[in-house]
Amino acid sequence: MQLKRWWHNYHEFISLETAKNINRIVARDDAFFPGELRTGQGFFSTYNGDYIPPEIIDADKETEFLNELPASNRSTTDKALTLMFHNMRQQIFWDGNKRSATLLANKFMIDNGAGLIAVQADKYPTFLRKISDYYHSNDMAEVKYWTYENGIQGIDLMKAKN
């Protein structure tokens, strides 16, 4: 319910503050510090073994990334996928990074009329493997292509009018 209220009342551009607000809601019951940038080191298990994210989150670099991405010469969908996978791999928050990154990317998609990123449950294990491969390689080309082919849900305008 909190996310729905936020979504309907929040009309700012994608920013680090937007990401923090999403994480504050998404991870409020899971994280010790929801909405706060990760300040320590950790690791988590993936299909390819333990992944250790970047040691320190540089708020200035993340803000620069978020400012430059919308202005880049890419499609809306490519920008949204780049945003999502970048934020997932950076692990900028203590918990809820995949959920927060997906919601932030979907906000960008919806705000720009580009549909929705939604991987169906039966494809989710493959999606997690692709994410794991990306975490360890730092090459998001394959996971972006796979997600584009399997996880982008368009808006059927004819059905939306009925």
Side-chain angles (χ1 to χ4, degrees):
M1 185 59 125
Q2 296 297 329
L3 188 60
K4 180 180 177 185
R5 284 190 195 124
W6 175 84
W7 193 280
H8 287 294
N9 295 314
Y10 201 80
H11 303 289
E12 291 186 25
F13 293 106
I14 298 301
S15 68
L16 191 55
E17 195 59 35
T18 308
K20 288 179 179 181
N21 286 332
I22 289 173
N23 184 264
R24 193 170 287 116
I25 295 165
V26 167
R28 73 178 187 183
D29 296 327
D30 301 330
F32 288 118
F33 307 106
E36 298 297 322
L37 297 179
R38 182 176 53 79
T39 57
Q41 190 60 33
F43 72 91
F44 60 93
S45 296
T46 72
Y47 283 102
N48 297 347
D50 291 341
Y51 171 68
I52 301 171
E55 187 169 328
I56 296 176
I57 301 302
D58 184 332
D60 292 336
K61 284 185 181 179
E62 293 303 317
T63 297
E64 183 179 331
F65 170 78
L66 292 170
N67 288 337
E68 290 176 0
L69 184 65
S72 67
N73 190 19
R74 301 173 180 198
S75 71
T76 296
T77 303
D78 187 55
K79 291 174 188 177
L81 292 173
T82 299
L83 170 65
M84 183 173 79
F85 292 119
H86 168 84
N87 283 9
M88 284 180 183
R89 187 173 192 276
Q90 288 296 99
Q91 295 289 301
I92 63 177
F93 301 111
W94 291 101
D95 201 354
N97 285 288
K98 283 194 286 296
R99 291 171 286 158
S100 296
T102 302
L103 285 168
L104 186 65
N106 273 323
K107 178 175 180 7
F108 188 81
M109 292 278 286
I110 291 167
D111 286 353
N112 289 284
L116 195 64
I117 302 166
V119 176
Q120 296 176 355
D122 64 327
K123 295 181 179 183
Y124 203 70
T126 301
F127 182 58
L128 291 177
R129 284 186 191 90
K130 299 288 184 187
I131 292 170
S132 177
D133 291 344
Y134 159 58
Y135 283 175
H136 292 277
S137 71
N138 196 24
D139 180 357
M140 70 172 73
E142 186 177 335
V143 70
K144 281 171 59 175
Y145 177 78
W146 186 92
T147 305
Y148 182 80
E149 292 294 316
N150 295 280
I152 303 296
Q153 308 300 318
I155 299 171
D156 185 336
L157 295 177
M158 294 306 291
K159 287 183 181 177
K161 290 181 182 179
N162 295 331

